[in-house]
Amino acid sequence: INKRDDNVWADDCVEVRLTPDNGKTNYVLALSASGAVYDARNGDTAFNLTAGDWVVFQEAGEQFWTVQMQVNLAALSGNTTPKEWGLNVARTVRQQGYMRRQWSHDAQSLAGYSRLTLSAVERSPVTATMDWLPSTGTLSVAVQGVSDTPLTVSYAATPLGYLNLFSEGEDITNMVRATGRYEVPPPIQSEQRIPAGEVNWQGKLSYVGEPVALATLTVKDDAGKVLSSRAFFISGSKIVSSRIFNLPSRREMVAQVFLASESLAGDDVVADIAIMKPDEEQPALATTINGFRGIMEEKAIDVSDIAIGEYNVRISLTKQGELLGTVNNQWFKSGDPPWLGNDIGIVTEVPKPWTPVKKRGNRLSVWGREHIFTRSLLPTSMRVLDEEILAGPMRLLITTAAGTLDTAVVRTPVIKVDKTGVRATISGKAVGKGLVVEVKGVLEFDGYTDLKFTLKPVDGKGPVAIERIVFEAPFKQQYAELYDDSNYNLFSTHSGRIPAEGMAITCTDTVRVGDAHRGVQFFPFFGSIGKRTTDTPLTFTPEAGAMRLRYVISEGVTLDSPLTTSLGLIGTPTKPFDAKRIRLTGHAGPNVPADLKEKGYASAAYWSAGWSTFKGGTGQEDGYYHFTPEWCAGLAKNRKATWEKEGKYATLYVVPGMITAQTPEYALFYKEWDGQYFEGLEKYLRDVSQYRGAEVRPAGRWTAVDYTKRSYQDFYFYSLDRVLAAFAAEGVRVGIYVDCTFHDGDPAPYRQWMQRLYQVVRKHSPDGLIIIHMSGDRRMAIWGLADILVEGEQYSANWAAYIANKPELTFNDCHPTVLPLDRMRATYTGPMWGPHQVFLSQFWTDTRQQEDDKRQETGDPGPTYYLRMRYSTGLMLAHDTPFWGEFYGTGAKEDVWVQRARWGYDDTVEFIPYWDARKLLEVEGAARD
């Protein structure tokens, strides 16, 4: 259950909310007094629920809730009790590619019901539970319920010797510990007397012994009758355990040493680490960890001077000079793989269609935009598509008791452009009484400007009490028409028209202000600077011929050391609108007729030829990322026939921050890439500088990594470069489909990944499309390099959840409510962003919108379905925004793209929107029925 979402249940369903429990990190599940259980045989109400019918609890350490329902069978209507009931709660709907859950309810379908099966179970009024936390060596026990007599609770952890576990009598020599002794410690046990009445008791044991132990918990009444008991093996907390991982780019091995219990920690604990060749007695490298502040300490060890190969890492732990234990790990020192440190895709020259950054005095120009810094650390002027959009300088206003420091009243900053025009650097400072603000920034070829502000006391003196920090940007009135916050939640977004009287709102980390053709997108990241008391820090205030954006960054911070924050901005659109490139490619993936294929038309086969899921040239199995030349050639040949016969080209499916753990590289680099450790991963370490196969690899599973890491990008684009080169060698057109981008906050770390992707695709497939499935993520500082932005998927599930408890609304209300005209213009209008936008059509293709099962079976969804289809089609056409997957109707595709291609395009024809100032068009309302 998504803790952030409000309940979205139908009226006749049990309401479920998660609410904070006195500020603790856990949550409480509560059920309202509404709800009903139905007889699954006929759908009749079997009984109504009340809050008292439910018992809800969560086992310690578990991640799921247990809900017990109590039923008074004697109160049921009818003569018989059904063995199976339908519990009318809700089922989940998971949108493809998204981790968040939505909830829905379908009163017309039994699929909307959970199943409840009754069986005769004798229950005790007293329950006992146990939980074992191996990281701390803690056994937690609990007893709950109601008892008429006092209770005796006995609980213990009894260590077991080798012969207790294996009665066959095997040799125990391998069980001898590093101390030279094999000792079984005595059991740890306790007993508690609990008074009669309501019972809610908890207790703990600390077990530090190394052998496996049997944990037991028994509850007896005064007569000695066992009311409840639990027993299970606990793994045996070792005195010392360890984990080894690599940081290959830094030539370091990291040893993590774990204590069995935090109670062992102290300055008197020492870990001696020796790295040895398997056949040698003397260590190749030795070091120590002196003192443990907690249950784990780690040490990074420089291993650049030892030879490639296999090693044993022996770690001995002592406390006050007494040996606690020794543990051995296997470790492999790898050579540098061929991809490490490569510059594939790194931008060294300005890529087309952008133009180099040009400097003229204090003016910096890129394609379509000009930035002027006149005695200011921020732009005093921004011209976008030959129009000035600002009514005055952008500025930071920093107020202290000594006055206000204004970053627009300084010397003009020093501006330099590199030789190739890829980027310019901007540096300057503002000095006030007791306070200095320094700026170091870059402006790159696509117009993204990243400004880092450092606030510090003058000459290191301090502290400085800052009363308020405010960012301001005044816009000319005509260019402060629309606002967009790229908010995924369609019911909390403020995207749309900026009211003439202004507005005050909360702020996301992406803000665009402009009209439907030009504007500025800001990325304000000020969270590190002090506190903010206002709930609506972002305001728009009308002035004479202008609208002033004002963002309250901080309302109180004491500065006693330098503090750095950043502001990003980019003028939109970010690149020329390339409609012709898009028109040559169908969005639905149909077979291209021969007459159009001869004219250069092609169809992108989205979702196919996934380069990251192929094991070889023909199979589509869990694969690996270390691609051999033979593998790459096989993949290209696999797609060649489709390209030549049907005119379809592959768009290789990419999830930037996902990788399969089957790759040998992952075993070495997972920590450096912020990936997840899998038990046994170290068994698959190999010298990846020589490795070319997949004979040895971990179990297949997908895991997330940080795709901003340089070594991961080196590996990723080295592999992608080889794949795309193989397609080019076969003469097969290829593009990229980027799904599930998994990023937030400051766009700067993610820009290089997108720049490298653009360079590699254009290198091998100059007309191959780069498609971003972003659904709400309109950060043009990253996605401005793409060709197509696929948008709108987030609305379908959001709307279905929203109307679940609003019977007055139907799917016919979705577009007028979710995408009113002002919001459409603020988010999806034609060339506003630069990359071409296409809209997903789930509003009217979602199967939940079928009017009834019968029509769904016959393939006719009914008249309201077609009403939605016509409405959404007209809405998108009026904004020059095509559909993704241009299919209409049900069950059959009408290839509209093919029809339009045969009709022909005239690129000299101008699209005139209905809001155009020339008043050539008018919008007239019409009844929606």
Side-chain angles (χ1 to χ4, degrees):
I1 298 174
N2 192 326
K3 298 168 187 170
R4 296 171 299 175
D5 289 349
D6 290 334
N7 64 298
V8 289
W9 304 79
D11 288 344
D12 59 350
C13 289
V14 178
E15 178 183 334
V16 178
R17 290 177 182 267
L18 284 173
T19 55
D21 182 14
N22 299 325
K24 299 178 182 178
T25 56
N26 61 310
Y27 287 78
V28 173
L29 185 67
L31 293 98
S32 76
S34 62
V37 174
Y38 295 84
D39 187 336
R41 298 169 298 181
N42 53 31
D44 293 337
T45 300
F47 58 90
N48 292 313
L49 301 174
T50 67
D53 294 330
W54 298 87
V55 177
V56 183
F57 60 91
Q58 185 181 31
E59 297 279 1
E62 298 290 350
Q63 297 183 7
F64 56 87
W65 296 96
T66 299
V67 181
Q68 295 178 351
M69 185 172 66
Q70 302 171 1
V71 179
N72 184 355
L73 298 180
L76 297 180
S77 60
N79 298 321
T80 61
T81 300
K83 294 183 178 179
E84 183 178 354
W85 281 327
L87 182 62
N88 189 8
V89 289
R91 58 190 174 91
T92 60
V93 176
R94 184 177 186 273
Q95 282 293 296
Q96 188 171 16
Y98 291 91
M99 297 305 295
R100 60 182 290 158
R101 267 65 171 175
Q102 304 294 337
W103 295 82
S104 69
H105 161 74
D106 182 2
Q108 304 301 319
S109 171
L110 289 179
Y113 298 110
S114 299
R115 290 299 185 191
L116 174 66
T117 303
L118 298 184
S119 61
V121 178
E122 183 178 347
R123 292 183 54 80
S124 167
V126 175
T127 60
T129 58
M130 288 197 301
D131 185 47
W132 167 243
L133 299 177
S135 60
T136 60
T138 301
L139 179 71
S140 299
V141 295
V143 178
Q144 293 178 316
V146 177
S147 175
D148 295 331
T149 70
L151 303 177
T152 300
V153 182
S154 303
Y155 52 108
T158 305
L160 302 177
Y162 188 79
L163 294 179
N164 294 117
L165 296 173
F166 305 100
S167 58
E168 292 83 358
E170 291 92 341
D171 187 1
I172 65 170
T173 56
N174 291 331
M175 301 296 290
V176 176
R177 301 301 185 262
T179 58
R181 307 184 304 274
Y182 178 66
E183 297 178 350
V184 177
I188 302 170
Q189 54 192 8
S190 185
E191 190 171 278
Q192 181 74 26
R193 186 77 169 167
I194 303 176
E198 186 173 338
V199 179
N200 189 7
W201 174 87
Q202 293 181 332
K204 290 184 179 180
L205 284 178
S206 178
Y207 174 58
V208 185
E210 191 165 353
V212 171
L214 179 65
T216 57
L217 171 62
T218 304
V219 182
K220 298 181 180 179
D221 63 13
D222 254 3
K225 179 182 177 182
V226 177
L227 302 180
S228 186
S229 64
R230 298 287 296 274
F232 58 78
F233 289 120
I234 54 180
S235 57
S237 180
K238 295 182 179 179
I239 296 294
V240 55
S241 59
S242 63
R243 181 179 296 164
I244 304 296
F245 60 83
N246 293 269
L247 299 176
S249 296
R250 289 160 47 179
R251 314 291 194 276
E252 289 180 341
M253 182 201 81
V254 178
Q256 291 180 333
V257 185
F258 298 85
L259 303 177
S261 173
E262 209 164 342
S263 62
L264 293 173
D267 293 338
D268 56 352
V269 179
V270 176
D272 292 301
I273 305 171
I275 303 174
M276 301 179 294
K277 281 285 189 180
D279 54 351
E280 296 180 3
E281 291 293 328
Q282 293 299 317
L285 193 61
T287 188
T288 60
I289 299 176
N290 293 301
F292 276 66
R293 293 164 295 179
I295 200 168
M296 187 274 285
E297 291 289 339
E298 70 177 30
K299 184 154 190 173
I301 305 166
D302 186 345
V303 293
S304 56
D305 293 334
I306 65 176
I308 294 172
E310 295 182 355
Y311 290 86
N312 293 325
V313 180
R314 185 181 65 198
I315 301 175
S316 299
L317 198 71
T318 59
K319 184 176 178 65
Q320 296 181 349
E322 293 288 331
L323 183 65
L324 295 178
T326 299
V327 65
N328 290 285
N329 296 81
Q330 292 181 328
W331 174 66
F332 191 91
K333 163 68 185 300
S334 176
D336 291 342
W339 47 264
L340 188 62
N342 73 75
D343 60 358
I344 296 172
I346 297 293
V347 175
T348 56
E349 295 183 358
V350 176
K352 296 179 180 179
W354 291 272
T355 55
V357 180
K358 294 182 180 179
K359 175 182 178 295
R360 184 164 56 92
N362 60 352
R363 299 169 180 260
L364 287 173
S365 300
V366 296
W367 172 84
R369 287 145 294 164
E370 183 179 62
H371 312 71
I372 302 176
F373 297 80
T374 302
R375 297 182 58 82
S376 176
L377 304 184
L378 283 158
T380 54
S381 167
M382 277 195 70
R383 295 182 63 83
V384 180
L385 300 180
D386 298 322
E387 294 285 344
E388 175 63 60
I389 64 173
L390 294 182
M394 301 180 191
R395 55 178 20 117
L396 282 181
L397 299 172
I398 306 169
T399 303
T400 67
T404 298
L405 188 154
D406 186 346
T407 61
V409 186
V410 297
R411 291 183 178 180
T412 298
V414 177
I415 300 174
K416 298 179 180 179
V417 180
D418 63 15
K419 294 180 180 179
T420 60
V422 171
R423 63 183 55 85
T425 58
I426 305 160
S427 59
K429 66 179 179 180
V431 181
K433 293 182 179 180
L435 180 67
V436 176
V437 178
E438 295 179 346
V439 64
K440 292 186 177 179
V442 296
L443 186 151
E444 294 196 320
F445 63 90
D446 63 343
Y448 181 64
T449 307
D450 186 28
L451 300 170
K452 304 295 185 186
F453 293 92
T454 300
L455 286 66
K456 57 185 180 182
V458 171
D459 299 327
K461 298 177 182 178
V464 178
I466 298 176
E467 298 174 3
R468 185 176 294 104
I469 306 175
V470 174
F471 168 66
E472 287 191 354
F475 286 83
K476 288 187 174 181
Q477 186 68 52
Q478 64 268 37
Y479 299 120
E481 181 188 7
L482 302 172
Y483 166 85
D484 179 59
D485 54 22
S486 296
N487 196 325
Y488 181 93
N489 189 328
L490 64 98
F491 299 111
S492 61
T493 180
H494 294 283
S495 295
R497 179 184 291 273
I498 300 174
E501 66 275 15
M503 62 181 181
I505 56 177
T506 57
C507 182
T508 64
D509 58 13
T510 305
V511 174
R512 181 188 184 272
V513 181
D515 64 6
H517 298 284
R518 52 179 64 78
V520 181
Q521 192 177 62
F522 296 99
F523 305 89
F525 304 106
F526 302 127
S528 62
I529 299 186
K531 62 183 180 180
R532 188 168 59 203
T533 60
T534 178
D535 293 329
T536 55
L538 182 64
T539 59
F540 290 91
T541 305
E543 299 176 351
M547 182 73 75
R548 184 174 298 275
L549 178 157
R550 188 173 186 269
Y551 183 81
V552 178
I553 299 169
S554 172
E555 294 177 294
V557 60
T558 299
L559 192 69
D560 53 12
S561 60
L563 189 62
T564 299
T565 189
S566 67
L567 171 68
L569 60 97
I570 189 169
T572 60
T574 59
K575 71 174 182 180
F577 190 58
D578 189 4
K580 187 174 182 179
R581 170 196 290 269
I582 313 303
R583 288 170 179 167
L584 288 173
T585 304
H587 301 143
N591 296 340
V592 180
D595 60 324
L596 295 182
K597 188 171 179 292
E598 291 179 359
K599 295 179 180 179
Y601 286 92
S603 177
Y606 307 113
W607 302 101
S608 65
W611 71 292
S612 59
T613 55
F614 269 75
K615 180 181 179 183
T618 56
Q620 194 162 4
E621 309 167 14
D622 282 343
Y624 54 93
Y625 275 67
H626 191 93
F627 300 119
T628 65
E630 296 80 12
W631 186 94
C632 297
L635 178 60
K637 292 179 185 296
N638 176 262
R639 300 304 307 168
K640 188 173 184 177
T642 303
W643 164 249
E644 292 181 340
K645 294 178 180 179
E646 302 175 10
K648 291 184 181 181
Y649 76 92
T651 52
L652 305 183
Y653 183 80
V654 167
V655 179
M658 292 289 286
I659 187 173
T660 173
Q662 292 193 29
T663 174
E665 287 85 350
Y666 184 78
L668 280 172
F669 283 83
Y670 81 91
K671 189 69 176 181
E672 193 167 288
W673 298 342
D674 286 347
Q676 182 181 354
Y677 173 80
F678 298 118
E679 204 65 43
L681 199 59
E682 63 276 358
K683 297 177 182 178
Y684 300 94
L685 300 181
R686 293 293 182 272
D687 183 2
V688 296
S689 64
Q690 304 297 323
Y691 191 82
R692 293 189 63 203
E695 297 83 9
V696 180
R697 55 189 180 179
R701 69 180 84 187
W702 292 93
T703 185
V705 295
D706 181 354
Y707 65 97
T708 68
K709 300 294 185 180
R710 174 60 192 264
S711 63
Y712 177 75
Q713 291 189 12
D714 290 348
F715 166 62
Y716 197 93
F717 291 109
Y718 176 86
S719 302
L720 182 59
D721 183 69
R722 300 171 82 183
V723 171
L724 296 186
F727 275 83
E730 293 293 333
V732 181
R733 185 180 175 190
V734 66
I736 294 291
Y737 183 100
V738 183
D739 198 9
C740 304
T741 53
F742 295 132
H743 83 89
D744 53 69
D746 190 347
Y750 303 91
R751 283 173 53 80
Q752 183 165 278
W753 185 90
M754 190 62 197
Q755 289 177 358
R756 295 183 78 169
L757 178 70
Y758 184 89
Q759 294 280 84
V760 173
V761 173
R762 289 294 186 264
K763 170 184 173 183
H764 297 292
S765 185
D767 62 348
L769 295 177
I770 299 175
I771 303 129
I772 307 293
H773 185 185
M774 24 74 82
S775 283
D777 178 9
R778 294 180 290 277
R779 293 174 174 89
M780 289 303 106
I782 305 172
W783 310 128
L785 277 71
D787 298 305
I788 292 180
L789 304 177
V790 182
E791 173 62 297
E793 183 180 61
Q794 73 272 28
Y795 295 133
S796 182
N798 274 274
W799 180 259
Y802 179 69
I803 68 172
N805 60 348
K806 293 182 179 294
E808 71 276 12
L809 296 176
T810 71
F811 278 97
N812 292 336
D813 299 296
C814 60
H815 282 98
T817 304
V818 174
L819 287 175
L821 294 182
D822 285 340
R823 185 171 298 167
M824 273 297 303
R825 291 198 296 119
T827 52
Y828 309 121
T829 303
M832 172 173 42
W833 301 101
H836 200 81
Q837 294 183 94
V838 294
F839 197 83
L840 290 157
S841 51
Q842 279 114 323
F843 268 158
W844 49 267
T845 58
D846 194 310
T847 56
R848 287 169 295 178
Q849 299 183 33
Q850 307 287 338
E851 292 184 24
D852 56 51
D853 293 337
K854 183 177 181 180
R855 283 179 174 166
Q856 186 172 354
E857 292 172 2
T858 60
D860 182 3
T864 60
Y865 181 91
Y866 292 110
L867 174 65
R868 290 189 293 272
M869 180 189 74
R870 291 193 297 272
Y871 187 101
S872 56
T873 301
L875 184 67
M876 296 303 151
L877 287 176
H879 294 82
D880 202 22
T881 301
F883 275 111
W884 170 271
E886 297 187 82
F887 47 90
Y888 299 86
T890 303
K893 291 183 179 179
E894 301 171 11
D895 296 326
V896 179
W897 168 74
V898 172
Q899 297 175 18
R900 286 203 305 259
R902 283 184 173 150
W903 186 26
Y905 295 99
D906 185 346
D907 290 320
T908 64
V909 173
E910 178 186 1
F911 175 80
I912 302 175
Y914 60 86
W915 61 89
D916 192 277
R918 288 171 287 181
K919 304 296 183 183
L920 298 176
L921 300 172
E922 292 182 357
V923 178
E924 185 176 286
R928 287 190 287 113
D929 58 357

